Amino acid sequence: MLIARRARDVTAAEAPLLAAGVPLMATAVRALGTAVAGLLRQRCGRVVGTSVAVLVGSGDNGADALLAGAELARRGVAVIAIRAGSRVHDGAARAAHRTGITLLAPGAAALARAARCDVVLDGVTGIGADGPLRGAGLDVVVGLLAALEAVPRPDRPLVVAVDVPSGIGVDDGTVAGPVLGADRTITMGTAKPGLLLPPAALLAGEVDVVDLGLDLAGAEPAVVRLERADVARLWPVPGPTDHKYTRGVLGVVAGSTGYPGAAVLATSAAAPLVGMVRFLGPDTVVDAVLARHPEVVHGDGRAQAWLVGPGIGVDDGERLAQVREVLERAVAHGLPAVVDAGALEVLPERVGAQVVLTPHAGELARLLGARGEDVAREDVEARPLAHLRRAVALTGATVLLKGAVTLVAGPGTAVHSQADGTAWLATAGAGDVLAGVVGAALAVRSDDVVAEPGLAAPLAAAAAAVHGRAARRASGGGPIVAGDVARAVAATLAEVLRD
Ligand SMILES: NC(=O)C1=CN([C@@H]2O[C@H](COP(=O)(O)OP(=O)(O)OC[C@H]3O[C@@H](n4cnc5c(N)ncnc54)[C@H](OP(=O)(O)O)[C@@H]3O)[C@@H](O)[C@H]2O)[C@@H](O)CC1
Ligand SMILES: [K+]
């Protein structure tokens, strides 16, 4: 599990080690040097003779970056260093000087040179920053972003962020000013919340954590990300005495004459994962579902969890009446349920954490608006976690806010952040597939969720992980439709459970 801790917790954990003389910075610098050398080898096929530009801020973040630059210079890399603060760490400046690196003033000429290097190392600010970039750091980032515009995309340098992309909200993931988006972030000691929370997380690229041996046991995890083994631990494997009913029945109310495909996608994703899917919908939709999945059972009856809403519009009164009836019944029995798309319109005033809402940013804004909050989609996109938390507080539900980075939290649970997919997953119907996987995750552990409703949040995060991995598997780096993702779900789960 990837665990993010707040800046103050990291600083507190560093203090005793620094007092004991443990050379944390040397470890950070070594890891940076190795990572950058690896990227240079990938990009240029060699390290010697490549070029790196280092943006050097005033604090230890700048020192990390400059010392890594000195190490790379010793390995034959042509390094330029650009001042991005009011001062430079003494020891790092001396080490740079010894390797022949001169510190350049942040003018247009230096930034144009940086824009043509193989790698840029962003050491403007780290966890010691207060607020968005200002002063020399801001000028350097704005200037470099402009200089990069003049370079054809394939020739632009790879950007490596030291600890965090400078200027992000380290603890809250906000982006309140210019930030140089990174291809990779080498983060020290532990992940930081801003590396996992959008919108900042979208600027961090791949995140590698450098082990500094910090004792963070006492620090409350701010955000967590499930990895393969965590998903495997959460997902039950049937035993020899299991049958379709003990494995879990998922009831699905989905699809409409306007959107029959959503029902097909949701049931296709769920069917292989559960003992049985039972389906309620208009006849034409039932026909479409059964044509694809003859194993789906048509008609009302007992289920261990319900999924309501995919392919049902917010003004489809007839379908929403059925959703309302099924949802109220599920809530009255304390059963887990997934509430998606139009069904969010008929969510009871208060529900328990066993009910998982799956809005995108626009739907979350609408949900909050219906509860008296003045919120636009852009507000949710700028501060997704804050709005997700508000929705949890107002409804009592577990909320999965889907996006390139999907966030999940319930009342009192950890915040989960999953980013397992691919940009190709931004395609019609992907949300219907996700809803199917979340429904399945709740159905197969229904008894556990009824006993411990807080379990719905990690299970929904696990479902998001399976969905994202299925998209990656189906895509192989190229375009996909949602049906490809649904078809890849079963093999993806097998892979998750096997490894
Ligand atoms: N301690 C260790 O051994 C280890 C530390 N580690 C590393 O240290 C980093 C933390 O270093 P830190 O505490 O020196 O703070 P840091 O983030 O470099 O910036 C502070 C300076 O930046 C400035 N500044 C502030 N706000 C700003 C803004 N909004 N916009 C622009 N500038 C701003 C301000 O300078 P001023 O404005 O006064 O010139 C301030 O003094 C951490 O992220 C990690 O990389 C790791 O290697 C592990 C071992
Ligand atoms: K940085």
Side-chain angles (χ1 to χ4, degrees), residues 61 122-126 161-166:
N61 193 256
D122 166 12
V124 179
T125 57
V162 179
D163 210 11
V164 295
S166 306

Side-chain angles (χ1 to χ4, degrees), residues 11 14 18 22-25 28-29 57-64 84-87 123-138 162-164 167 188-189 192 212:
T11 309
E14 280 171 359
L18 292 173
V22 180
L24 297 183
M25 194 175 271
V29 168
S58 295
D60 285 357
N61 193 256
D64 279 355
S86 59
R87 57 202 154 80
V124 179
T125 57
I127 60 172
D130 49 14
L133 290 177
R134 54 173 159 74
L138 176 64
V162 179
D163 210 11
V164 295
M188 310 309 166
K192 316 297 179 302
L212 294 181

